[in-house]
Amino acid sequence: MTSENLHSQDLGASPDEVQFRFRNDEPADHGTVTVDACCDQTNATAVRIEPGDDARVLLPFLDRLALVEVNFPTFGDGRGYSAARILREAGYKGELRAVGDVLIDQLSHMRRCGFDAFAPDKPLDEEDARRAFEGFGNVNQSAADARRTIAELRHE
Amino acid sequence: MYQYDQYDQAMVDARVEEFRDQAQRRLDGKLTEDQFKPLRLMNGLYLQLHAYMLRVAIPYGTLNSRQMTALGDIADKYDRGYGHFTTRQNLQYNWIKLEDAADILADLSKVEMHAIQTSGNCIRNISSDHFAGAAHDELIDPRPYAELLRQWSSFHPEFTYLPRKFKIAVIAAETDRAAMRLHDIGIQIVKNEAGEVGASFYVGGGMGRTPMIAPQIREFVPLDQLVTYAEACLRVYNRYGRRDNKYKARIKILVHEMGAEEYTRQVEEEFAHLLEQGVEPPLAELERIKPFFADPAFEDGPKSIDRSDPDFALWVDRNTVRHKHDSYVSAVISLKPVGGIPGDATGDQMRLMAKLAKQYSFDELRVMHTQNIVLPHVKIADLHALWTELEAADLGAPNLDTIEDIIACPGLDYCALANARSIPLAQRISENFAKNGRTEELGQLKLKISGCINACGHHHAGHIGILGVDKKGTENYQLSLGGSEAEDVSLAKITGPGFDEDGVIKAVETVTDVYLETREDGERFLDTYRRIGMTPFKEALYDK
Ligand code: HEM
Ligand code: SF4
């Protein structure tokens, strides 16, 4: 991450206000549909995953999706982290947006799991968020970001 | 013993600063108590009945004298001069001020320690065999694998908001000294027919209100896929574990409701997928870790003991355990003095144990899940000198695995969830048996007490278990028999109606009487119970 491409945006048109976005493409400008609807409608390009949804049912449609929102009704429900990684592991390249009860202390983990946009219910303190995105420096696990793990660094 | 490199140290230091920042944001009102709670819990800080409690991680129960000394110093500086060793091989301070918490974490980080992930719905401290690296019967030292998993599980981005807490134990002997199958994941390091070393996975064990013994889900995972397999187990749990009811949120319920076969099928599918993702750390990392756990420089020496002092001889018989080198033993320091608080040690005692470890045990100590301390490598020639110092510090109780070696949770004296007191009961029972002189005759008898259904005191796994229940606002105790946490794992069964405090103490005596009257040659209490069943015990307890 470079700090230049972390900037606040107000997308207006979206039902969820995106506060942080780590992408340079144009954001999808229309609302999302449910996972069920997405599987039925061949033209849907934006979908919203609820905690109980199986992210894997979206895998056949990844090519046409530009935006996947993952909802966190409460921050303690961590299913969305697995959903995000599963999509990235399957090669999804579009926007992956965390929405809902998204707080400072979840940002760095979310980022590691592949989220590249954040629309918290309550806007976050920009300075606190910047520090959180910087995280701890090095990491122990390989995840959806391309960061080299400590074990890899030790054995270069 | 494992030593941090700059990466490990930087991570722990960053965590201390992060916690300072979080605490500050709480004080500034940027975080509500609801939002702060999971963050302080991630750092092992609980709110108990009377004060904050801080739980310090002791990875796989191993520590050196510098660390033990620091724990003693913290007890004196920030607590009331003592700490409590727990069944999770950790240490808890019971009287902590919120303002001091970040400073304590900073003191800990100076000796490569922390309180990370000692609570919260994440992967907790990984426990192991307390005789690892010393046991005569182990395949290899399990701790390098525990360390590899420690690194993998620290700040795991996907598994920090699991449905519920998650506990892993790793052993590498047929004898199970870590209650392996009562963990969310139990791993036994084994050799396959080809002579290769790998890991057997047991998933879905646990205690709490619905105790379960973990079924084996994979006989052999190659070592270069260990982390990937664990990741698959966790991902299936994170996605499908119940979140609607916190009492049904542990992985044991998922495995039970889904069926071990279906759970296994899903894990295997996820595993095959993750293998392609390349999440496994390089095997070189395991090779880097291993030398930290290499044998110290054992020397040949005397193998026999002068038993002319009967008190010393008794302690040797009770509290020392065969070592893989025949000039050494592992010596257990009992934290169960008669009438004492199980698992408590004062700052002075901690510093003394540290000194003795340095002098007699290659600078190493272990915490046992039975709330005692081990000096893993003591020369037989040094035993008398060691014992003499322990005796002088009230640390020489000769009662390992006897009825005086009671596991007890904090109970109503500290814990906000408790129905009943555990500690005073443990104190009275140990006094009782010390007085009636039957401890020695009873031999191995594991008595375990929990103050409520959460089972922190392992009562389900006690040869005799006691559970505090609430009966119309008064403390009441249920008795159960026949549990074991060892390789012969089983869950204890309730005898019948509960007892008040005096009644349950009497009941423990009654069931031990039944045992003494009916035992056959060489039988432990547990063996007799298994042979004759519950009925004779019930009759003695209830048909008066
Ligand atoms: C005083 C503060 C404590 C609180 C609030 C507390 C809370 C709990 C709760 C709620 C559970 C049940 C979890 C479940 O079944 O899902 C539990 C289980 C457990 N706790 Fe504690 N506990 C405390 C202290 C301790 C201590 C001091 C120990 C060690 C001596 C300990 C070790 C355990 C163990 C071994 C289990 C059960 C095993 C399992 O996870 O299935 N706890 N605790
Ligand atoms: S068993 Fe119950 S009373 Fe005892 S420490 Fe655990 S939660 Fe508290």
Side-chain angles (χ1 to χ4, degrees), chain A residues 87-108:
Chain A
L87 293 175
R88 291 302 189 206
E89 285 164 1
Y92 174 65
K93 296 278 188 307
E95 178 172 339
L96 193 51
R97 186 186 292 171
V99 307
D101 194 18
V102 174
L103 306 170
I104 294 287
D105 300 280
Q106 285 81 53
L107 295 178
S108 68

Side-chain angles (χ1 to χ4, degrees), chain B residues 303-458:
Chain B
K303 303 174 197 339
S304 65
I305 294 171
D306 175 359
R307 302 173 56 93
S308 50
D309 178 341
D311 289 341
F312 172 60
L314 177 65
W315 180 79
V316 169
D317 290 343
R318 269 278 158 238
N319 286 35
T320 67
V321 175
R322 183 174 156 195
H323 194 279
K324 66 185 180 189
H325 190 293
D326 61 3
S327 304
Y328 289 78
V329 291
S330 297
V332 174
I333 302 175
S334 170
L335 297 183
K336 317 289 175 68
V338 171
I341 297 177
D344 270 15
T346 65
D348 285 339
Q349 288 178 324
M350 289 185 229
R351 282 184 294 267
L352 176 71
M353 292 190 283
K355 188 202 88 156
L356 295 173
K358 192 156 190 175
Q359 207 170 342
Y360 297 120
S361 184
F362 296 97
D363 204 27
E364 232 185 281
L365 308 103
R366 310 287 175 75
V367 183
M368 299 170 78
H369 83 264
T370 54
Q371 307 180 282
N372 294 311
I373 302 295
V374 181
L375 300 183
H377 317 294
V378 181
K379 265 192 195 142
I380 288 173
D382 289 337
L383 275 177
H384 194 273
L386 169 66
W387 172 75
T388 307
E389 290 205 54
L390 289 174
E391 271 289 286
D394 202 17
L395 289 169
N399 55 15
L400 173 67
D401 286 343
T402 67
I403 195 159
E404 293 172 23
D405 186 9
I406 298 169
I407 291 181
C409 79
L412 201 53
D413 292 288
Y414 295 102
C415 178
L417 305 176
N419 290 320
R421 290 167 304 158
S422 314
I423 292 170
L425 194 58
Q427 290 172 310
R428 288 188 58 192
I429 291 174
S430 73
E431 278 166 355
N432 208 19
F433 280 88
K435 218 181 313 152
N436 70 24
R438 252 179 263 158
T439 301
E440 198 43 34
E441 196 187 354
L442 288 168
Q444 190 195 91
L445 211 176
K446 299 183 183 178
L447 176 64
K448 310 187 184 201
I449 308 174
S450 303
C452 81
I453 194 72
N454 287 322
C456 303
H458 288 195

Side-chain angles (χ1 to χ4, degrees), chain A residues 54 56 75-79 81-82 85 89 105-106 109 128 131 136 138 140-142 154-155, chain B residues 5 8 11 21-22 25 39 151-152 154 158 161 231 235 238-239 243 270 273 279 284-285 288:
Chain A
D54 179 2
R56 287 207 162 100
F75 69 86
D77 188 332
R79 286 176 280 189
Y81 295 88
S82 290
R85 266 188 85 187
E89 285 164 1
D105 300 280
Q106 285 81 53
H109 282 349
D128 290 343
R131 263 182 295 155
F136 287 162
N138 289 307
N140 270 317
Q141 311 77 8
S142 73
R154 279 180 179 136
H155 301 287
Chain B
D5 66 358
D8 297 304
M11 189 153 267
D21 175 62
Q22 289 166 343
R25 276 186 287 129
L39 305 176
Q151 294 181 17
W152 160 75
S154 296
E158 186 176 338
Y161 298 94
E231 184 128 336
R235 179 175 283 178
N238 190 44
R239 299 187 73 206
R243 292 174 189 262
E270 198 67 63
H273 162 73
V279 299
E285 179 58 14
R288 183 190 73 90

Side-chain angles (χ1 to χ4, degrees), chain B residues 506-535:
Chain B
K506 184 81 202 36
V508 169
E509 251 188 272
T510 305
V511 295
T512 57
D513 287 345
V514 172
Y515 159 64
L516 289 177
E517 283 155 20
T518 48
R519 70 171 165 191
E520 292 179 354
D521 275 357
E523 272 184 347
R524 303 168 299 164
F525 179 91
L526 181 64
D527 304 322
T528 302
Y529 169 83
R530 284 177 177 168
R531 178 171 54 81
I532 67 177
M534 182 64 96
T535 314

